[in-house]
């Protein structure tokens, strides 16, 4: 089973601090999707809030006749009234229509705050979608380990999506991965490259984010000592550190897809001293806080 998942925010909007190309046109997007499928990647992560991503994916899936061979995970838009069951169902129907598929492999809440409505009808609305076979699994995208741990106790939530990378082990340290494994729930790790920040040349980092430079310099030195690229170091670390989770990555070109798939499949698992990256501040790890750095 290929554990890589193609994140497709880039296909619907300009996304990522290291994104220099902007949103790809339809031909480039098609090449990206084809490259994923050619490399055994059949899982795609999108969201209603990712601009035109769902529509672009649906058009491509239909054109290349891939709809029966892929698994799509999408997220309800953050501004949706989750207490309105009719609105939730209509929103999912809209996603399925845009994606030109009959069922989502996974439907996630985009924001963990939505969980507070779980027992006020939201859980029932989402379960109805599973019973109707419009959705296979229900999940939540998290920013805080505490909320993720609480959600793993909820019957009906079968998958969680969390940020984690070579610098960010907050969810692992809190026991989220361990508990998910014990409960038989799937974990999807996002932000492997921290929106591309971990691969950026130091001289390209915005002035307001100079606080990340010491960490990038340590990564660069570590990669050099191991005779690896930063990409090989960061992705290889994720492949070995979390062998039972799905790993999301985004791409702006088909070559990035090919390169990431090759690196992940190579299983060059670096051995690092994790203490080197102990106590990384949250304003480095959380993109929401970057503008406030």
């Amino acid at each position: 089973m290929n554990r890589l998942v193609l994140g497709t925010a880039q296909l619907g909007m300009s996304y990522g601090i290291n994104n220099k190309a902007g949103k790809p046109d339809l031909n480039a997007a098609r090449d990206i999707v084809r490259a994923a499928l050619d490399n055994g990647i059949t899982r795609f992560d999108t969201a209603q809030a990712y601009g035109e991503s769902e529509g672009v994916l649906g058009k491509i899936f239909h054109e290349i006749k891939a709809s029966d061979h892929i698994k799509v995970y999408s997220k309800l838009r953050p501004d949706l009234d989750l207490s309105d069951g009719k609105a939730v169902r209509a929103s999912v129907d809209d996603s399925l229509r845009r994606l030109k598929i009959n069922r989502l492999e996974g439907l996630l809440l985009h924001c963990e705050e939505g969980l507070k409505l779980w027992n006020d009808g939201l859980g029932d609305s989402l379960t109805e979608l599973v019973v109707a076979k419009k959705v296979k699994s229900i999940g939540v995208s998290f920013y805080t380990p505490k909320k993720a741990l609480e959600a793993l106790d909820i019957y009906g939530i079968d998958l969680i999506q969390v940020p984690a990378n070579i610098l960010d082990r907050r969810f692992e340290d809190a026991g989220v991965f361990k508990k998910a494994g014990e409960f038989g729930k799937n974990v999807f790790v996002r932000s492997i490259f921290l929106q591309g920040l971990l691969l950026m040349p130091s001289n390209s980092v915005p002035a307001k984010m100079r606080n990340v430079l010491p960490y990038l310099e340590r990564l660069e030195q570590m990669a050099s000592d191991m005779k690896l690229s930063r990409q090989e170091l960061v992705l290889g670390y994720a492949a070995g550190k979390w062998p039972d989770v799905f790993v999301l990555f985004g791409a702006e070109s088909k070559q990035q897809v090919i390169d990431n798939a090759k690196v992940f499949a190579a299983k060059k698992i670096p051995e690092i001293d994790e203490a080197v990256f102990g106590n990384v501040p949250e304003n480095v790890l959380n993109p929401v806080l970057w503008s406030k750095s």
Side-chain angles (χ1 to χ4, degrees):
M1 178 184 67
N2 195 320
R3 294 189 292 118
L4 283 178
V5 181
L6 182 66
T8 62
Q10 286 94 336
L11 302 191
M13 58 187 186
S14 182
Y15 178 85
I17 191 171
N18 200 27
N19 184 338
K20 297 180 178 63
K23 183 172 77 73
D25 62 23
L26 184 60
N27 288 332
R30 187 186 300 108
D31 288 343
I32 289 170
V33 172
R34 281 189 183 278
L37 293 171
D38 288 345
N39 284 274
I41 300 169
T42 58
R43 290 178 169 82
F44 296 82
D45 176 81
T46 185
Q48 295 172 353
Y50 289 170
E52 301 172 351
S53 177
E54 288 185 335
V56 169
L57 283 173
K59 183 174 289 188
I60 294 170
F61 292 152
H62 179 71
E63 286 180 3
I64 66 176
K65 297 179 171 55
S67 298
D68 294 334
H69 313 297
I70 47 89
K71 297 178 179 180
V72 182
Y73 302 80
S74 193
K75 307 174 196 71
L76 295 169
R77 67 178 195 270
D79 63 347
L80 185 67
D81 182 359
L82 297 177
S83 66
D84 185 340
K86 184 177 180 181
V88 170
R89 291 190 293 273
S91 184
V92 171
D93 286 340
D94 287 342
S95 284
L96 293 174
R97 186 178 65 255
R98 285 190 291 268
L99 288 160
K100 301 185 189 303
I101 57 176
N102 296 320
R103 182 173 74 164
L104 288 169
E105 186 72 10
L107 175 68
L108 290 80
L109 302 185
H110 206 126
C111 304
E112 60 191 40
E113 290 80 8
L115 276 175
K116 64 187 179 184
L117 296 172
W118 185 268
N119 294 321
D120 296 325
L122 176 59
D124 291 337
S125 296
L126 297 178
T127 300
E128 288 174 14
L129 289 166
V130 175
V131 172
K133 296 186 177 180
K134 292 183 178 182
V135 174
K136 183 176 180 182
S137 299
I138 300 299
V140 187
S141 180
F142 290 97
Y143 286 91
T144 60
K146 181 176 181 293
K147 291 292 186 181
L149 287 168
E150 292 173 0
L152 289 171
D153 289 321
I154 298 175
Y155 178 79
I157 292 179
D158 297 314
L159 65 95
I160 61 172
Q161 188 182 114
V162 302
N165 54 61
I166 197 168
L167 299 187
D168 188 355
R169 294 185 294 276
R170 293 170 297 161
F171 285 78
E172 179 189 5
D173 292 344
V176 172
F177 291 9
K178 182 175 184 293
K179 184 173 181 179
E182 291 171 349
F183 281 49
K185 301 191 178 187
N186 286 321
V187 177
F188 287 68
V189 164
R190 68 174 187 273
S191 294
I192 288 299
F193 298 123
L194 200 50
Q195 292 193 13
L197 178 65
L198 301 186
L199 304 182
M200 285 184 77
S202 296
N203 59 8
S204 296
V205 175
K208 66 181 180 181
M209 294 180 60
R210 306 306 283 180
N211 60 323
V212 309
L213 289 179
Y215 303 100
L216 296 186
E217 289 165 359
R218 275 182 235 170
L219 274 179
E220 186 61 43
Q221 186 60 54
M222 187 179 290
S224 177
D225 291 344
M226 295 182 180
K227 296 181 170 54
L228 299 172
S229 66
R230 261 195 273 174
Q231 179 191 29
E232 289 173 321
L233 174 63
V234 172
L235 194 52
Y237 174 84
K241 181 66 174 176
W242 304 300
D244 300 317
V245 310
F246 292 97
V247 177
L248 276 77
F249 73 97
E252 300 160 30
S253 69
K254 69 175 183 179
Q255 193 58 49
Q256 288 182 353
V257 177
I258 294 167
D259 291 344
N260 282 322
K262 182 178 179 180
V263 168
F264 198 79
K267 297 182 179 178
K268 276 189 182 177
I269 301 171
E271 294 185 10
I272 73 166
D273 178 4
E274 294 185 346
V276 171
F277 296 117
N279 300 315
V280 180
E282 192 171 354
N283 65 353
V284 171
L285 300 177
N286 188 347
V288 172
L289 302 177
W290 287 350
S291 62
K292 302 174 184 178
S293 298

